[in-house]
Amino acid sequence: MKFYNIGSLNLDYTYFVDEFLKPGETKSSLGLQISCGGKGFNQSIALARAGASVSHGGCIGAEGDRFLERFKREQIDTEFIQQTTEKNGHAVIQVNGEGENCILLHGGTNQKVSKKLIDRMLSSVEKQDMIVLQNEICHLEYILEEAQRKGIKAALNAAPVSEAIKKISMDSVEWLFVNETEGSAITGCRETEPEKILDCLTERYHDTGIVLTLGGNGAFYGRRKERIYVPAYKVNVVDSTAAGDTFIGYFLACMSRGMSVEESMRYAAMAGAVCVGKKGASDSIPRWKEVQGLMSTR
């Protein structure tokens, strides 16, 4: 089984601050880190480090060579990455003293992914493979429609939530990953309890496996009437930027290994816990041996 990630490639400008800036406020950062990121990039790294075979598709700008270098080091296929003259997609990230973050995105090259590139990538996907998607690129509805037509299953991280994604058919989506805010937004659910939000999601997308991530409070799984809860592992949070992407990559990789949903969630939770204990986004994503070793001691 191979994962084809049609995903975002952002240059992350991460500023470390004691507290998030308030309207009208100016302050000096405690540090700056420039690195490769984006939900798509992070999820591909997490999949690869969890032992999965990965091909990444997307667009980069003139300054995007560092993505190709990183993917080469991680043994991720880059056949479907196109380089353009557009400004690369990027993110301005603040990380406060508690490890929380706030992120401002600029789409850039992520909004230049062509249908021609998408068609070429989907033509390489076999029935047993899976495409991985996030809402940081263009033509998401087209990709899912083509996946449905070709009988290809998709894993979708519905973030960031937009008005358009609320109307998209999820018929080809095997796995849908959302947090509480995203889950409420795409369904219009007014509930605040995670279990109630999950009920809204499974009622609307009853043939899809829903993974509702709750940060430090763990994660829920639901499909139809089935429910599983896995708590988070308690750690000292340094930077939570790539925690969700790490969870998703590890969960999918573990499922492809033949693990159960609950076991895959536990491994994903451990990987996420390791990730938040380090600074940075993709650099903080752990490798399989580290996670496997930690799980064997519990």
Side-chain angles (χ1 to χ4, degrees), residues 25-60:
E25 183 179 19
T26 300
K27 65 165 62 177
S28 296
S29 71
L30 304 176
L32 167 64
Q33 183 174 358
I34 303 174
S35 57
C36 297
K39 288 182 178 297
F41 178 83
N42 294 338
Q43 289 170 25
S44 281
I45 297 294
L47 280 162
R49 291 190 175 182
S53 177
V54 187
S55 178
H56 193 102
C59 285
I60 54 176

Side-chain angles (χ1 to χ4, degrees), residues 203-227:
E203 183 177 347
R204 179 165 181 173
Y205 310 116
H206 58 274
D207 290 328
T208 299
I210 310 293
V211 180
L212 179 66
T213 56
L214 310 172
N217 293 318
F220 275 102
Y221 160 80
R223 191 191 293 263
R224 300 184 185 92
K225 297 299 182 182
E226 184 181 7
R227 297 289 184 272

Side-chain angles (χ1 to χ4, degrees), residues 163-180:
E163 286 302 313
I165 201 171
K166 297 177 187 180
K167 303 169 186 176
I168 289 177
S169 169
M170 299 287 182
D171 289 345
S172 63
V173 178
E174 179 70 17
W175 299 105
L176 177 63
F177 298 90
V178 290
N179 62 24
E180 293 165 277

Side-chain angles (χ1 to χ4, degrees):
M1 179 181 185
K2 187 171 184 177
F3 292 95
Y4 288 80
N5 188 350
I6 310 175
S8 54
L9 297 163
N10 286 332
L11 287 174
D12 284 349
Y13 296 83
T14 303
Y15 297 86
F16 298 95
V17 296
D18 51 358
E19 296 290 345
F20 296 140
L21 268 70
K22 301 177 181 64
E25 183 179 19
T26 300
K27 65 165 62 177
S28 296
S29 71
L30 304 176
L32 167 64
Q33 183 174 358
I34 303 174
S35 57
C36 297
K39 288 182 178 297
F41 178 83
N42 294 338
Q43 289 170 25
S44 281
I45 297 294
L47 280 162
R49 291 190 175 182
S53 177
V54 187
S55 178
H56 193 102
C59 285
I60 54 176
E63 66 271 54
D65 287 344
R66 63 179 70 193
F67 291 102
L68 300 178
E69 294 168 3
R70 282 293 308 277
F71 281 149
K72 183 178 180 180
R73 293 205 304 268
E74 301 289 343
Q75 297 184 316
I76 294 171
D77 175 45
T78 60
E79 177 186 354
F80 303 105
I81 293 180
Q82 288 185 342
Q83 196 155 22
T84 74
T85 57
E86 301 287 336
K87 188 71 175 176
N88 208 99
H90 64 264
V92 176
I93 304 171
Q94 293 181 54
V95 177
N96 69 11
E98 286 71 49
E100 300 171 320
N101 64 70
C102 59
I103 302 173
L104 177 65
L105 291 174
H106 171 68
T109 48
N110 295 314
Q111 299 303 314
K112 301 298 180 180
V113 178
S114 67
K115 290 183 178 180
K116 183 178 180 180
L117 174 61
I118 291 165
D119 291 340
R120 189 162 66 88
M121 192 168 185
L122 290 180
S123 68
S124 297
V125 182
E126 298 183 2
K127 297 293 184 184
Q128 72 272 18
D129 299 329
M130 179 172 284
I131 58 172
V132 180
L133 303 165
Q134 318 80 34
N135 197 29
E136 289 185 346
I137 61 166
C138 55
H139 302 310
L140 184 61
E141 183 174 14
Y142 176 78
I143 297 169
L144 289 173
E145 286 175 350
E146 286 298 293
Q148 174 70 9
R149 188 175 67 82
K150 293 174 178 288
I152 298 169
K153 291 299 182 182
L156 172 63
N157 178 204
V161 172
S162 63
E163 286 302 313
I165 201 171
K166 297 177 187 180
K167 303 169 186 176
I168 289 177
S169 169
M170 299 287 182
D171 289 345
S172 63
V173 178
E174 179 70 17
W175 299 105
L176 177 63
F177 298 90
V178 290
N179 62 24
E180 293 165 277
T181 302
E182 294 153 0
S184 296
I186 64 173
T187 59
C189 179
R190 296 183 179 180
E191 302 289 349
T192 57
E193 293 296 319
E195 296 93 332
K196 298 285 182 66
I197 297 171
L198 186 60
D199 288 342
C200 292
L201 287 161
T202 55
E203 183 177 347
R204 179 165 181 173
Y205 310 116
H206 58 274
D207 290 328
T208 299
I210 310 293
V211 180
L212 179 66
T213 56
L214 310 172
N217 293 318
F220 275 102
Y221 160 80
R223 191 191 293 263
R224 300 184 185 92
K225 297 299 182 182
E226 184 181 7
R227 297 289 184 272
I228 296 172
Y229 170 74
V230 169
Y233 295 99
K234 300 303 179 184
V235 294
N236 179 41
V237 178
V238 175
D239 184 352
S240 62
T241 302
D245 299 326
T246 300
F247 185 101
I248 291 169
Y250 261 79
F251 176 86
L252 292 173
C254 288
M255 289 296 296
S256 72
R257 288 173 178 265
M259 293 184 181
S260 67
V261 170
E262 183 171 355
E263 190 177 14
S264 297
M265 290 176 71
R266 292 190 184 279
Y267 269 78
M270 177 60 76
V274 175
C275 173
V276 300
K278 304 174 185 178
K279 279 189 177 182
S282 60
D283 291 337
S284 66
I285 298 171
R287 298 188 183 275
W288 175 254
K289 284 187 178 180
E290 181 180 3
V291 175
Q292 190 179 40
L294 290 168
M295 291 299 294
S296 68
T297 65
R298 292 181 179 266

